[in-house]
Amino acid sequence: MAQVEATTERVVAAQPDDVFDALADYTGTRPKLLSEHFSEYEVREGGDGEGSLVHWKLQATSKRVRDCLLEVSEPTDGELVEKDRNSSMVTTWRVTPAGEGKSRVVVTSVWNGAGGIGGFFEKTFAPKGLGRIYDEVLAKLATEVEK
């Protein structure tokens, strides 16, 4: 079983604190950022960063739906980590300065992939698919925080 990793990044024209606050706002801003690949979104505990518990279903492909129950932590400044209780998936959002009034947002998801030929295809294609999904989320984030 190989580890699979998908990383996407974008520079947005907003202060890092504002970008981070938008990402960590699971009750207000975050639902607005999600693409059609997400459904059944629900904040079960908290709702603002550290200590939040958030549920959603992620439909990565027409046949692949992940039921995610995410525990949110903030291990360091500018870092939001979502650990899925239902799988090995961990998604990390990092927000860092990228010049005057700009921020770099990097989102990385890591999980234990399947073995065998299925694992080969997962490691080959899943990062591209998840990258497209997070590109869309980051585009919506930019629209939201650049207002």
Side-chain angles (χ1 to χ4, degrees):
M1 173 168 14
Q3 195 168 63
V4 182
E5 182 175 315
T7 300
T8 307
E9 69 177 74
R10 183 181 185 110
V11 173
V12 296
Q15 295 294 335
D17 286 348
D18 296 337
V19 175
F20 184 84
D21 290 348
L23 285 170
D25 179 11
Y26 289 92
T27 53
T29 308
R30 187 60 85 89
K32 297 178 198 174
L33 307 181
L34 302 179
S35 69
E36 72 279 357
H37 297 92
F38 296 86
S39 64
E40 299 182 31
Y41 183 90
E42 176 187 17
V43 176
R44 296 195 177 164
E45 292 174 20
D48 184 24
E50 179 87 32
S52 296
L53 183 65
V54 185
H55 172 267
W56 62 59
K57 288 192 176 175
L58 173 59
Q59 183 152 3
T61 68
S62 60
K63 295 178 184 173
R64 179 87 172 133
V65 179
R66 245 182 219 270
D67 189 354
C68 302
L69 184 58
L70 305 154
E71 293 177 356
V72 179
S73 64
E74 295 180 27
T76 61
D77 279 354
E79 189 174 65
L80 199 61
V81 177
E82 301 167 343
K83 289 185 181 173
D84 186 7
R85 286 186 181 174
N86 298 334
S87 75
S88 62
M89 182 177 267
V90 177
T91 299
T92 303
W93 299 82
R94 284 187 187 85
V95 181
T96 56
E100 188 65 36
K102 292 184 179 175
S103 305
R104 179 177 313 285
V105 184
V106 179
V107 55
T108 303
S109 291
V110 179
W111 68 96
N112 296 327
I117 191 73
F120 169 78
F121 284 105
E122 182 178 18
K123 193 168 178 83
T124 303
F125 298 109
K128 290 180 180 90
L130 198 54
R132 282 191 296 275
I133 291 169
Y134 280 121
D135 272 341
E136 202 172 325
V137 171
L138 290 175
K140 288 182 176 192
L141 172 66
T143 300
E144 191 67 27
V145 298
E146 291 175 355
K147 287 179 179 173

